[in-house]
């Protein structure tokens, strides 16, 4: 374990809609406020990935055309490293378009984008309406069930394989596919979710849990008056509590 959180952003230029890079800003700030070091690197198109060099791998959301640019490259240059990283317990956080690419495939009409197969799921682009709106789920990241609230906007419907566990149960909103009542995926320290917001500013308890998992440190509490207000507001927007 390290005294710094080392974060690697995957395709930060292509996979970053709804200000998803704000998630990294939150991780950086919450480490800094506690005197924990923070290192940020990136791995983009054509670049390899060192599975040992980072505690947390992050990929944000993307439009279908950006995902199409990323998918094959990610399989070619990063799949093996991501598997090795996940196997040694590194944290992987993937949001929306990035989440879809963690699975086996993303089918878009006649085209099928490959995923890195870190988790057993597949996504199918639907002709039906996009699943848009505020969303809240109940999730347990090892410290008891809590609420995660955010905003979803996806055309893809994600279906988990039989042995895979969702990140949470939908309290308000659509979730993975709008039908089964589940949202995201959670296996070991690999977390995928449809929730933008960005996710972490609205759910700083998730940020802290990720820092703990990535560093092995026990975190001191912060004054989260403003952050708790943002969280409550996001929950209310999703029709919860
Ligand atoms: N392009 C994907 C979809 O529409 C993901 C969108 C996103 O990242 N918000 O399903």
């Amino acid at each position: 374990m390290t005294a710094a959180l080392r974060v690697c952003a995957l395709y930060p230029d292509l996979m970053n809609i709804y200000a998803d890079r704000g998630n990294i800003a939150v991780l950086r700030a919450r480490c800094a406020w506690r005197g924990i070091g923070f290192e940020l690197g990136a791995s983009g198109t054509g670049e390899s990935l060192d599975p040992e060099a980072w505690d947390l791998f992050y990929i944000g959301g993307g439009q279908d055309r950006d995902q199409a640019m990323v998918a094959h490259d990610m399989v070619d240059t990063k799949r093996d490293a991501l598997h090795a990283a996940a196997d040694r317990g590194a944290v992987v956080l993937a949001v929306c378009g990035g989440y879809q690419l963690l699975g086996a495939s993303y089918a878009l009409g006649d085209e099928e984008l490959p995923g890195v197969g870190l988790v057993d799921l597949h996504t199918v682009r639907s002709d039906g309406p996009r699943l848009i709106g505020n969303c809240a789920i109940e999730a347990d990241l090892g410290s008891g069930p809590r609420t995660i609230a955010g905003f979803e906007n996806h055309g893809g419907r994600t279906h988990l394989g039989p042995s895979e566990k969702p990140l949470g149960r939908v309290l308000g909103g659509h979730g993975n596919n709008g039908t089964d009542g589940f949202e995201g995926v959670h296996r070991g320290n690999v977390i995928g979710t449809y929730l933008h917001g960005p996710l972490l500013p609205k759910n700083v308890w998730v940020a802290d849990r990720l820092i703990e998992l990535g560093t092995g440190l026990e975190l001191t509490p912060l004054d989260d008056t403003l952050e708790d207000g943002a969280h409550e507001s996001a929950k209310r927007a999703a029709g919860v509590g």
Side-chain angles (χ1 to χ4, degrees):
M1 293 296 175
T2 54
L5 182 70
R6 304 168 303 164
V7 175
C8 184
L10 308 182
Y11 306 97
D13 49 342
L14 293 169
M15 299 298 284
N16 171 46
I17 54 174
Y18 297 121
D20 280 337
R21 68 164 63 89
N23 291 323
I24 291 176
V26 168
L27 292 170
R28 180 195 291 277
R30 295 185 75 79
C31 283
W33 291 338
R34 296 183 171 100
I36 300 170
F38 185 86
E39 289 172 34
L40 179 63
S43 182
T45 307
E47 291 173 347
S48 62
L49 197 58
D50 179 351
E52 301 291 333
W54 310 101
D55 307 306
L56 190 153
F57 297 84
Y58 172 70
I59 182 165
Q63 310 209 18
D64 290 350
R65 66 170 178 276
D66 295 328
Q67 291 174 276
M69 288 200 268
V70 159
H72 291 277
D73 186 80
M74 193 160 148
V75 169
D76 291 345
T77 64
K78 302 181 195 7
R79 177 180 56 194
D80 294 348
L82 283 171
H83 278 262
D87 287 348
R88 72 169 177 81
V91 179
V92 178
L93 175 65
V95 174
C96 203
Y99 163 42
Q100 294 170 340
L101 296 182
L102 288 193
S105 58
Y106 178 26
L108 292 148
D110 294 338
E111 197 183 0
E112 183 165 285
L113 302 181
V116 292
L118 214 53
V119 280
D120 178 18
L121 58 84
H122 71 278
T123 302
V124 179
R125 184 72 148 89
S126 163
D127 290 337
R130 294 185 69 79
L131 303 181
I132 303 178
N134 294 293
C135 179
I137 66 173
E138 183 182 74
D140 188 345
L141 296 179
S143 52
R146 295 187 67 168
T147 305
I148 303 177
F151 176 80
E152 58 181 327
N153 180 354
H154 48 110
R157 270 64 165 166
T158 294
H159 302 274
L160 305 189
S163 64
E164 213 60 85
K165 289 203 172 38
L167 175 61
R169 183 173 65 83
V170 174
L171 303 173
H174 303 287
N176 278 340
N177 47 55
T179 55
D180 68 13
F182 293 116
E183 202 290 311
V185 71
H186 183 195
R187 184 203 290 190
N189 288 342
V190 176
I191 293 170
T193 178
Y194 271 116
L195 299 186
H196 300 278
L199 172 75
L200 298 183
K202 290 181 173 179
N203 304 279
V204 291
W205 75 269
V206 177
D208 284 355
R209 192 70 194 118
L210 298 179
I211 295 168
E212 284 176 350
L213 292 170
T215 61
L217 297 172
E218 211 170 297
L219 300 187
T220 51
L222 297 170
D223 175 1
D224 282 331
T225 309
L226 285 174
E227 291 80 356
D228 290 346
H231 180 67
E232 291 306 319
S233 157
K235 275 167 61 175
R236 280 195 302 276
V240 175

